[in-house]
Amino acid sequence: MAQAAAVAKPPAPPRRRRRASATPRRLPYLLIAPAALLMLGFIAYPVLSVFYYSLQNYNPTKPWRNGYAGFDNFVQIFTKDTQFWDTLTFSAKWVVVEVGLQLLFGLALALIVNQTFVGRALGRALVFSPWAVSGVLTSAIWVLLYNSQTGITRYLADAGIGSYGTSWLSDTSTVFPAAVVADLWRGVPFFAILILADLQSVSKDLYEAAEVDGAGRLKQFWHITLPHLKDAIVLSTLLRAVWEFNNVDLLYTLTGGGPAGETTTLPLYIANTSVDAHNFGYASALTTVAFVILLFCSIVYLRLSKFGGGEK
């Protein structure tokens, strides 16, 4: 027995067992590593390129002027470029008006389609369908609707409202509300979808208890619905504000930034500077400034709204 015990193989060291057990824990990270590195490359390279070219004079049509510019592009933006301030002001106006109206109408639509009624599934599909339409196609639809010969203005003129040949997109007094309505048609369903998803998670017991206590519809909405929707509203408004600030396709197709630059946002100004004027260095500097503005506003907004800091 003693000899058998002496010949018996000793147990494996605990260190090897720990190494073997660590492999399964690392396996998920090893599997996603190629995709993560690929995504990082596609994201990091363009961002770093923009930061690099923002410090350069780079215009392919004028190669003799290319070279290191330092902070000259940024100095020009803040001291000499009046169009930058005009487009930034219009971008802020566009974001505030669009996001505010989209949130208001989206909340109303979400409350309506959250109710039980005949044909609710069809109603929800119709409400959410504009969000599935691309921005360029949305612009094409509204360009046809605003056409002075075959669009809304002709039928209004037939009814005695306005005159024939009127184009809302070429008039400085009507182009902004016309563009707002076109973007509302596509943007409202985004808020309705997110808010409706959060509405369906509200416990009905809360409303039943509120009714027993004598609370009306308005008090239930103010004290139960809105607090529950706080995080969804904060997140959706932040996302939509960033998207509206970067909106190029709709305004470019509808108005091209006109008439007389009345609807030129900062991203549209950047696109014109880079694509039309081929001034990629200055456009990169404008992009960097826009990035810093969005980052700062997003951080301040999240801090002030205390996103995710309270319980529902």
Side-chain angles (χ1 to χ4, degrees):
M1 295 292 292
Q3 292 179 354
V7 177
K9 187 177 181 180
R15 192 186 309 175
R16 291 183 180 178
R17 280 200 291 251
R18 283 198 295 268
R19 286 181 180 176
S21 62
T23 303
R25 290 198 298 268
R26 296 175 182 174
L27 184 60
Y29 300 100
L30 294 175
L31 292 175
I32 66 173
L37 292 175
L38 191 62
M39 292 180 61
L40 181 62
F42 276 106
I43 295 174
Y45 176 74
V47 172
L48 295 177
S49 296
V50 168
F51 290 156
Y52 170 77
Y53 284 113
S54 66
L55 302 175
Q56 306 289 324
N57 288 322
Y58 181 65
N59 189 332
T61 62
K62 300 176 182 178
W64 58 89
R65 294 185 180 179
N66 294 344
Y68 181 72
F71 293 97
D72 292 348
N73 290 328
F74 296 98
V75 172
Q76 182 178 350
I77 289 173
F78 292 108
T79 60
K80 301 178 182 179
D81 192 351
T82 58
Q83 191 172 358
F84 165 75
W85 296 106
D86 293 339
T87 56
L88 182 61
T89 302
F90 177 76
S91 297
K93 176 183 176 182
W94 174 263
V95 169
V96 171
V97 173
E98 278 293 342
V99 174
L101 291 177
Q102 288 177 20
L103 173 61
L104 181 63
F105 289 117
L107 177 60
L109 274 177
L111 292 172
I112 292 173
V113 298
N114 191 45
Q115 304 298 319
T116 302
F117 55 89
V118 178
R120 184 175 66 172
L122 178 60
R124 288 180 176 180
L126 293 176
V127 167
F128 300 152
S129 58
W131 181 245
V133 182
S134 67
V136 174
L137 184 56
T138 299
S139 304
I141 293 172
W142 284 93
V143 164
L144 293 175
L145 289 175
Y146 289 146
N147 188 281
S148 59
Q149 303 298 324
T150 59
I152 299 173
T153 55
R154 177 182 177 181
Y155 294 101
L156 291 176
D158 291 339
I161 303 174
S163 57
Y164 291 100
T166 302
S167 177
W168 290 345
L169 296 178
S170 60
D171 191 339
T172 56
S173 61
T174 58
V175 63
F176 180 73
V180 166
V181 171
D183 199 47
L184 280 177
W185 180 79
R186 183 168 180 257
V188 167
F190 170 77
F191 282 95
I193 293 170
L194 290 184
I195 294 175
L196 177 62
D198 213 20
L199 275 175
Q200 293 179 333
S201 64
V202 182
S203 176
K204 294 182 180 179
D205 296 339
L206 296 175
Y207 294 104
E208 293 175 357
E211 288 181 1
V212 172
D213 292 338
R217 289 290 183 91
L218 185 58
K219 288 187 176 180
Q220 292 179 25
F221 174 77
W222 188 259
H223 294 286
I224 298 176
T225 306
L226 272 185
H228 186 89
L229 296 176
K230 175 191 170 184
D231 284 350
I233 291 176
V234 170
L235 179 61
S236 59
T237 51
L238 177 61
L239 290 175
R240 197 61 189 159
V242 173
W243 293 342
E244 288 297 342
F245 184 88
N246 293 320
N247 191 336
V248 173
D249 52 358
L250 185 136
L251 287 174
Y252 183 81
T253 309
L254 274 181
T255 66
E262 287 290 324
T263 58
T264 302
T265 60
L266 181 55
L268 188 55
Y269 175 44
I270 294 173
N272 292 334
T273 302
S274 58
V275 177
D276 296 338
H278 305 288
N279 194 349
F280 294 99
Y282 192 69
S284 298
L286 289 170
T287 305
T288 302
V289 172
F291 170 77
V292 173
I293 291 173
L294 283 178
L295 181 62
F296 175 77
C297 292
S298 299
I299 294 174
V300 171
Y301 179 68
L302 291 176
R303 288 290 183 90
L304 293 178
S305 63
K306 299 178 180 179
F307 175 73
E311 296 181 357
K312 296 180 181 179

